[in-house]
PDB file of all heavy atoms in Angstrom:
ATOM      1  N   VAL W   1     -45.970 110.446 -18.002  1.00  0.00           N
ATOM      2  CA  VAL W   1     -46.335 111.112 -16.736  1.00  0.00           C
ATOM      3  C   VAL W   1     -45.254 110.930 -15.735  1.00  0.00           C
ATOM      4  O   VAL W   1     -44.839 109.834 -15.369  1.00  0.00           O
ATOM      5  CB  VAL W   1     -47.647 110.573 -16.222  1.00  0.00           C
ATOM      6  CG1 VAL W   1     -48.051 111.281 -14.901  1.00  0.00           C
ATOM      7  CG2 VAL W   1     -48.754 110.756 -17.256  1.00  0.00           C
ATOM      8  N   ARG W   2     -44.781 112.051 -15.139  1.00  0.00           N
ATOM      9  CA  ARG W   2     -43.797 112.003 -14.125  1.00  0.00           C
ATOM     10  C   ARG W   2     -44.414 111.711 -12.738  1.00  0.00           C
ATOM     11  O   ARG W   2     -45.472 112.340 -12.428  1.00  0.00           O
ATOM     12  CB  ARG W   2     -42.996 113.322 -13.978  1.00  0.00           C
ATOM     13  CG  ARG W   2     -42.258 113.639 -15.326  1.00  0.00           C
ATOM     14  CD  ARG W   2     -41.458 114.981 -15.183  1.00  0.00           C
ATOM     15  NE  ARG W   2     -40.306 114.730 -14.305  1.00  0.00           N
ATOM     16  CZ  ARG W   2     -39.805 115.703 -13.594  1.00  0.00           C
ATOM     17  NH1 ARG W   2     -40.335 116.892 -13.513  1.00  0.00           N
ATOM     18  NH2 ARG W   2     -38.716 115.468 -12.783  1.00  0.00           N
ATOM     19  N   THR W   3     -43.864 110.803 -11.949  1.00  0.00           N
ATOM     20  CA  THR W   3     -44.467 110.392 -10.738  1.00  0.00           C
ATOM     21  C   THR W   3     -43.411 110.201  -9.635  1.00  0.00           C
ATOM     22  O   THR W   3     -42.146 110.276  -9.945  1.00  0.00           O
ATOM     23  CB  THR W   3     -45.223 109.073 -10.831  1.00  0.00           C
ATOM     24  OG1 THR W   3     -44.227 108.087 -11.231  1.00  0.00           O
ATOM     25  CG2 THR W   3     -46.332 109.151 -11.837  1.00  0.00           C
ATOM     26  N   GLY W   4     -43.867 110.142  -8.405  1.00  0.00           N
ATOM     27  CA  GLY W   4     -42.927 109.719  -7.297  1.00  0.00           C
ATOM     28  C   GLY W   4     -41.855 110.690  -6.972  1.00  0.00           C
ATOM     29  O   GLY W   4     -42.072 111.945  -7.019  1.00  0.00           O
ATOM     30  N   VAL W   5     -40.632 110.162  -6.674  1.00  0.00           N
ATOM     31  CA  VAL W   5     -39.550 111.067  -6.254  1.00  0.00           C
ATOM     32  C   VAL W   5     -39.188 112.132  -7.315  1.00  0.00           C
ATOM     33  O   VAL W   5     -38.664 113.192  -6.953  1.00  0.00           O
ATOM     34  CB  VAL W   5     -38.305 110.242  -5.874  1.00  0.00           C
ATOM     35  CG1 VAL W   5     -38.639 109.323  -4.636  1.00  0.00           C
ATOM     36  CG2 VAL W   5     -37.855 109.378  -7.041  1.00  0.00           C
ATOM     37  N   ALA W   6     -39.495 111.855  -8.596  1.00  0.00           N
ATOM     38  CA  ALA W   6     -39.149 112.774  -9.642  1.00  0.00           C
ATOM     39  C   ALA W   6     -39.839 114.171  -9.457  1.00  0.00           C
ATOM     40  O   ALA W   6     -39.401 115.161  -9.921  1.00  0.00           O
ATOM     41  CB  ALA W   6     -39.538 112.218 -11.011  1.00  0.00           C
ATOM     42  N   ILE W   7     -41.011 114.037  -8.774  1.00  0.00           N
ATOM     43  CA  ILE W   7     -41.799 115.368  -8.598  1.00  0.00           C
ATOM     44  C   ILE W   7     -41.965 115.555  -7.135  1.00  0.00           C
ATOM     45  O   ILE W   7     -42.844 116.342  -6.665  1.00  0.00           O
ATOM     46  CB  ILE W   7     -43.112 115.331  -9.329  1.00  0.00           C
ATOM     47  CG1 ILE W   7     -43.899 113.991  -9.214  1.00  0.00           C
ATOM     48  CG2 ILE W   7     -42.856 115.553 -10.804  1.00  0.00           C
ATOM     49  CD1 ILE W   7     -44.846 113.964  -8.076  1.00  0.00           C
ATOM     50  N   GLY W   8     -41.194 114.890  -6.285  1.00  0.00           N
ATOM     51  CA  GLY W   8     -41.265 115.113  -4.809  1.00  0.00           C
ATOM     52  C   GLY W   8     -42.428 114.483  -4.106  1.00  0.00           C
ATOM     53  O   GLY W   8     -42.815 114.926  -3.014  1.00  0.00           O
ATOM     54  N   ALA W   9     -43.016 113.499  -4.684  1.00  0.00           N
ATOM     55  CA  ALA W   9     -44.247 112.761  -4.052  1.00  0.00           C
ATOM     56  C   ALA W   9     -43.786 111.632  -3.220  1.00  0.00           C
ATOM     57  O   ALA W   9     -42.765 110.927  -3.550  1.00  0.00           O
ATOM     58  CB  ALA W   9     -45.170 112.340  -5.162  1.00  0.00           C
ATOM     59  N   SER W  10     -44.585 111.299  -2.182  1.00  0.00           N
ATOM     60  CA  SER W  10     -44.195 110.184  -1.336  1.00  0.00           C
ATOM     61  C   SER W  10     -44.560 108.866  -1.961  1.00  0.00           C
ATOM     62  O   SER W  10     -43.865 107.861  -1.704  1.00  0.00           O
ATOM     63  CB  SER W  10     -44.926 110.316  -0.023  1.00  0.00           C
ATOM     64  OG  SER W  10     -46.307 110.398  -0.180  1.00  0.00           O
ATOM     65  N   SER W  11     -45.631 108.837  -2.772  1.00  0.00           N
ATOM     66  CA  SER W  11     -46.032 107.551  -3.523  1.00  0.00           C
ATOM     67  C   SER W  11     -45.349 107.547  -4.848  1.00  0.00           C
ATOM     68  O   SER W  11     -45.328 108.516  -5.573  1.00  0.00           O
ATOM     69  CB  SER W  11     -47.553 107.574  -3.645  1.00  0.00           C
ATOM     70  OG  SER W  11     -47.928 106.551  -4.595  1.00  0.00           O
ATOM     71  N   PRO W  12     -44.897 106.328  -5.274  1.00  0.00           N
ATOM     72  CA  PRO W  12     -44.224 106.183  -6.609  1.00  0.00           C
ATOM     73  C   PRO W  12     -45.198 106.414  -7.728  1.00  0.00           C
ATOM     74  O   PRO W  12     -44.861 106.532  -8.877  1.00  0.00           O
ATOM     75  CB  PRO W  12     -43.659 104.713  -6.553  1.00  0.00           C
ATOM     76  CG  PRO W  12     -44.466 104.063  -5.533  1.00  0.00           C
ATOM     77  CD  PRO W  12     -44.827 105.115  -4.531  1.00  0.00           C
ATOM     78  N   TYR W  13     -46.544 106.433  -7.434  1.00  0.00           N
ATOM     79  CA  TYR W  13     -47.540 106.569  -8.463  1.00  0.00           C
ATOM     80  C   TYR W  13     -48.323 107.848  -8.471  1.00  0.00           C
ATOM     81  O   TYR W  13     -49.188 108.092  -9.241  1.00  0.00           O
ATOM     82  CB  TYR W  13     -48.515 105.398  -8.395  1.00  0.00           C
ATOM     83  CG  TYR W  13     -47.781 104.073  -8.260  1.00  0.00           C
ATOM     84  CD1 TYR W  13     -47.903 103.240  -7.069  1.00  0.00           C
ATOM     85  CD2 TYR W  13     -47.024 103.618  -9.314  1.00  0.00           C
ATOM     86  CE1 TYR W  13     -47.225 102.105  -6.984  1.00  0.00           C
ATOM     87  CE2 TYR W  13     -46.243 102.458  -9.111  1.00  0.00           C
ATOM     88  CZ  TYR W  13     -46.380 101.681  -7.969  1.00  0.00           C
ATOM     89  OH  TYR W  13     -45.686 100.532  -7.892  1.00  0.00           O
ATOM     90  N   ALA W  14     -47.999 108.749  -7.420  1.00  0.00           N
ATOM     91  CA  ALA W  14     -48.602 110.031  -7.355  1.00  0.00           C
ATOM     92  C   ALA W  14     -47.988 110.928  -8.423  1.00  0.00           C
ATOM     93  O   ALA W  14     -46.798 110.900  -8.702  1.00  0.00           O
ATOM     94  CB  ALA W  14     -48.399 110.625  -5.961  1.00  0.00           C
ATOM     95  N   THR W  15     -48.837 111.784  -8.991  1.00  0.00           N
ATOM     96  CA  THR W  15     -48.361 112.750  -9.906  1.00  0.00           C
ATOM     97  C   THR W  15     -48.231 114.108  -9.316  1.00  0.00           C
ATOM     98  O   THR W  15     -48.382 114.256  -8.030  1.00  0.00           O
ATOM     99  CB  THR W  15     -49.401 112.900 -11.091  1.00  0.00           C
ATOM    100  OG1 THR W  15     -50.618 113.556 -10.632  1.00  0.00           O
ATOM    101  CG2 THR W  15     -49.757 111.537 -11.699  1.00  0.00           C
ATOM    102  N   SER W  16     -47.916 115.128 -10.060  1.00  0.00           N
ATOM    103  CA  SER W  16     -47.750 116.468  -9.560  1.00  0.00           C
ATOM    104  C   SER W  16     -49.062 117.097  -9.089  1.00  0.00           C
ATOM    105  O   SER W  16     -49.018 118.189  -8.503  1.00  0.00           O
ATOM    106  CB  SER W  16     -47.089 117.375 -10.583  1.00  0.00           C
ATOM    107  OG  SER W  16     -47.847 117.456 -11.764  1.00  0.00           O
ATOM    108  N   HIS W  17     -50.182 116.542  -9.415  1.00  0.00           N
ATOM    109  CA  HIS W  17     -51.552 117.000  -9.028  1.00  0.00           C
ATOM    110  C   HIS W  17     -52.142 116.115  -8.048  1.00  0.00           C
ATOM    111  O   HIS W  17     -52.443 114.947  -8.340  1.00  0.00           O
ATOM    112  CB  HIS W  17     -52.351 117.195 -10.289  1.00  0.00           C
ATOM    113  CG  HIS W  17     -53.598 118.102 -10.075  1.00  0.00           C
ATOM    114  ND1 HIS W  17     -54.456 117.894  -9.121  1.00  0.00           N
ATOM    115  CD2 HIS W  17     -53.895 119.191 -10.705  1.00  0.00           C
ATOM    116  CE1 HIS W  17     -55.366 118.833  -9.206  1.00  0.00           C
ATOM    117  NE2 HIS W  17     -55.056 119.688 -10.109  1.00  0.00           N
ATOM    118  N   PRO W  18     -52.458 116.553  -6.797  1.00  0.00           N
ATOM    119  CA  PRO W  18     -53.089 115.645  -5.845  1.00  0.00           C
ATOM    120  C   PRO W  18     -54.380 115.048  -6.365  1.00  0.00           C
ATOM    121  O   PRO W  18     -55.151 115.733  -7.021  1.00  0.00           O
ATOM    122  CB  PRO W  18     -53.397 116.645  -4.695  1.00  0.00           C
ATOM    123  CG  PRO W  18     -52.353 117.745  -4.869  1.00  0.00           C
ATOM    124  CD  PRO W  18     -52.194 117.883  -6.315  1.00  0.00           C
ATOM    125  N   GLY W  19     -54.550 113.796  -6.165  1.00  0.00           N
ATOM    126  CA  GLY W  19     -55.745 113.060  -6.597  1.00  0.00           C
ATOM    127  C   GLY W  19     -55.621 112.401  -7.938  1.00  0.00           C
ATOM    128  O   GLY W  19     -56.476 111.625  -8.364  1.00  0.00           O
ATOM    129  N   ILE W  20     -54.525 112.726  -8.678  1.00  0.00           N
ATOM    130  CA  ILE W  20     -54.298 112.043  -9.967  1.00  0.00           C
ATOM    131  C   ILE W  20     -53.067 111.167  -9.813  1.00  0.00           C
ATOM    132  O   ILE W  20     -51.990 111.564  -9.316  1.00  0.00           O
ATOM    133  CB  ILE W  20     -54.029 113.088 -11.105  1.00  0.00           C
ATOM    134  CG1 ILE W  20     -55.199 114.023 -11.247  1.00  0.00           C
ATOM    135  CG2 ILE W  20     -53.757 112.293 -12.431  1.00  0.00           C
ATOM    136  CD1 ILE W  20     -55.009 115.073 -12.289  1.00  0.00           C
ATOM    137  N   PHE W  21     -53.252 109.851 -10.153  1.00  0.00           N
ATOM    138  CA  PHE W  21     -52.217 108.868 -10.013  1.00  0.00           C
ATOM    139  C   PHE W  21     -51.937 108.268 -11.459  1.00  0.00           C
ATOM    140  O   PHE W  21     -52.820 108.299 -12.285  1.00  0.00           O
ATOM    141  CB  PHE W  21     -52.576 107.702  -9.075  1.00  0.00           C
ATOM    142  CG  PHE W  21     -52.900 108.308  -7.733  1.00  0.00           C
ATOM    143  CD1 PHE W  21     -54.224 108.744  -7.428  1.00  0.00           C
ATOM    144  CD2 PHE W  21     -51.982 108.315  -6.664  1.00  0.00           C
ATOM    145  CE1 PHE W  21     -54.542 109.233  -6.157  1.00  0.00           C
ATOM    146  CE2 PHE W  21     -52.384 108.801  -5.421  1.00  0.00           C
ATOM    147  CZ  PHE W  21     -53.600 109.271  -5.168  1.00  0.00           C
ATOM    148  N   ALA W  22     -50.745 107.780 -11.668  1.00  0.00           N
ATOM    149  CA  ALA W  22     -50.430 107.083 -12.924  1.00  0.00           C
ATOM    150  C   ALA W  22     -49.769 105.748 -12.709  1.00  0.00           C
ATOM    151  O   ALA W  22     -48.872 105.608 -11.824  1.00  0.00           O
ATOM    152  CB  ALA W  22     -49.482 108.034 -13.749  1.00  0.00           C
ATOM    153  N   VAL W  23     -50.198 104.758 -13.558  1.00  0.00           N
ATOM    154  CA  VAL W  23     -49.629 103.410 -13.445  1.00  0.00           C
ATOM    155  C   VAL W  23     -49.403 102.814 -14.807  1.00  0.00           C
ATOM    156  O   VAL W  23     -50.033 103.211 -15.791  1.00  0.00           O
ATOM    157  CB  VAL W  23     -50.612 102.473 -12.600  1.00  0.00           C
ATOM    158  CG1 VAL W  23     -50.623 102.933 -11.176  1.00  0.00           C
ATOM    159  CG2 VAL W  23     -51.984 102.459 -13.222  1.00  0.00           C
ATOM    160  N   GLY W  24     -48.569 101.814 -14.894  1.00  0.00           N
ATOM    161  CA  GLY W  24     -48.322 101.143 -16.125  1.00  0.00           C
ATOM    162  C   GLY W  24     -47.393 101.885 -17.066  1.00  0.00           C
ATOM    163  O   GLY W  24     -46.645 102.765 -16.639  1.00  0.00           O
ATOM    164  N   ASP W  25     -47.525 101.524 -18.347  1.00  0.00           N
ATOM    165  CA  ASP W  25     -46.563 101.996 -19.370  1.00  0.00           C
ATOM    166  C   ASP W  25     -46.587 103.558 -19.528  1.00  0.00           C
ATOM    167  O   ASP W  25     -45.651 104.111 -20.094  1.00  0.00           O
ATOM    168  CB  ASP W  25     -46.863 101.330 -20.688  1.00  0.00           C
ATOM    169  CG  ASP W  25     -46.485  99.900 -20.685  1.00  0.00           C
ATOM    170  OD1 ASP W  25     -45.986  99.347 -19.674  1.00  0.00           O
ATOM    171  OD2 ASP W  25     -46.704  99.202 -21.776  1.00  0.00           O
ATOM    172  N   VAL W  26     -47.677 104.167 -19.144  1.00  0.00           N
ATOM    173  CA  VAL W  26     -47.783 105.685 -19.321  1.00  0.00           C
ATOM    174  C   VAL W  26     -46.942 106.370 -18.374  1.00  0.00           C
ATOM    175  O   VAL W  26     -46.618 107.559 -18.536  1.00  0.00           O
ATOM    176  CB  VAL W  26     -49.262 106.097 -19.295  1.00  0.00           C
ATOM    177  CG1 VAL W  26     -49.763 106.097 -17.783  1.00  0.00           C
ATOM    178  CG2 VAL W  26     -49.505 107.481 -19.954  1.00  0.00           C
ATOM    179  N   ARG W  27     -46.516 105.791 -17.296  1.00  0.00           N
ATOM    180  CA  ARG W  27     -45.739 106.328 -16.192  1.00  0.00           C
ATOM    181  C   ARG W  27     -44.224 106.413 -16.616  1.00  0.00           C
ATOM    182  O   ARG W  27     -43.712 105.405 -17.004  1.00  0.00           O
ATOM    183  CB  ARG W  27     -45.908 105.601 -14.968  1.00  0.00           C
ATOM    184  CG  ARG W  27     -45.301 106.262 -13.745  1.00  0.00           C
ATOM    185  CD  ARG W  27     -45.639 105.502 -12.449  1.00  0.00           C
ATOM    186  NE  ARG W  27     -45.068 104.204 -12.416  1.00  0.00           N
ATOM    187  CZ  ARG W  27     -43.793 103.974 -12.014  1.00  0.00           C
ATOM    188  NH1 ARG W  27     -43.071 104.965 -11.594  1.00  0.00           N
ATOM    189  NH2 ARG W  27     -43.267 102.720 -12.033  1.00  0.00           N
ATOM    190  N   ALA W  28     -43.636 107.621 -16.471  1.00  0.00           N
ATOM    191  CA  ALA W  28     -42.189 107.747 -16.805  1.00  0.00           C
ATOM    192  C   ALA W  28     -41.399 106.837 -15.890  1.00  0.00           C
ATOM    193  O   ALA W  28     -41.573 106.773 -14.649  1.00  0.00           O
ATOM    194  CB  ALA W  28     -41.785 109.202 -16.616  1.00  0.00           C
ATOM    195  N   GLY W  29     -40.488 106.073 -16.499  1.00  0.00           N
ATOM    196  CA  GLY W  29     -39.609 105.216 -15.781  1.00  0.00           C
ATOM    197  C   GLY W  29     -40.174 103.853 -15.382  1.00  0.00           C
ATOM    198  O   GLY W  29     -39.556 103.021 -14.681  1.00  0.00           O
ATOM    199  N   SER W  30     -41.348 103.531 -15.864  1.00  0.00           N
ATOM    200  CA  SER W  30     -42.021 102.317 -15.540  1.00  0.00           C
ATOM    201  C   SER W  30     -41.350 101.108 -16.354  1.00  0.00           C
ATOM    202  O   SER W  30     -40.741 101.360 -17.348  1.00  0.00           O
ATOM    203  CB  SER W  30     -43.508 102.273 -15.922  1.00  0.00           C
ATOM    204  OG  SER W  30     -43.723 102.395 -17.321  1.00  0.00           O
ATOM    205  N   VAL W  31     -41.457  99.931 -15.757  1.00  0.00           N
ATOM    206  CA  VAL W  31     -40.915  98.730 -16.406  1.00  0.00           C
ATOM    207  C   VAL W  31     -41.974  98.258 -17.378  1.00  0.00           C
ATOM    208  O   VAL W  31     -43.114  97.969 -17.026  1.00  0.00           O
ATOM    209  CB  VAL W  31     -40.580  97.619 -15.422  1.00  0.00           C
ATOM    210  CG1 VAL W  31     -40.063  96.381 -16.159  1.00  0.00           C
ATOM    211  CG2 VAL W  31     -39.507  98.178 -14.469  1.00  0.00           C
ATOM    212  N   LYS W  32     -41.673  98.173 -18.677  1.00  0.00           N
ATOM    213  CA  LYS W  32     -42.744  97.866 -19.656  1.00  0.00           C
ATOM    214  C   LYS W  32     -42.903  96.313 -19.752  1.00  0.00           C
ATOM    215  O   LYS W  32     -42.518  95.672 -20.700  1.00  0.00           O
ATOM    216  CB  LYS W  32     -42.289  98.401 -21.023  1.00  0.00           C
ATOM    217  CG  LYS W  32     -41.888  99.917 -21.084  1.00  0.00           C
ATOM    218  CD  LYS W  32     -43.171 100.735 -20.663  1.00  0.00           C
ATOM    219  CE  LYS W  32     -42.920 102.190 -20.872  1.00  0.00           C
ATOM    220  NZ  LYS W  32     -42.090 102.846 -19.842  1.00  0.00           N
TER     221      LYS W  32
END
């Protein structure tokens, strides 16, 4: 899941769809 600056969001955990957030290993670029 792409989040944060990669999709122009202000939160590093916001996705391209408002109200959906992604955290942990499923998030692109996360530290595993």
Side-chain angles (χ1 to χ4, degrees):
V1 181
R2 299 182 71 209
T3 61
V5 295
I7 44 93
S10 58
S11 166
Y13 312 114
T15 69
S16 58
H17 198 301
I20 302 179
F21 304 85
V23 292
D25 290 0
V26 76
R27 188 175 66 83
S30 65
V31 178
K32 305 299 188 284

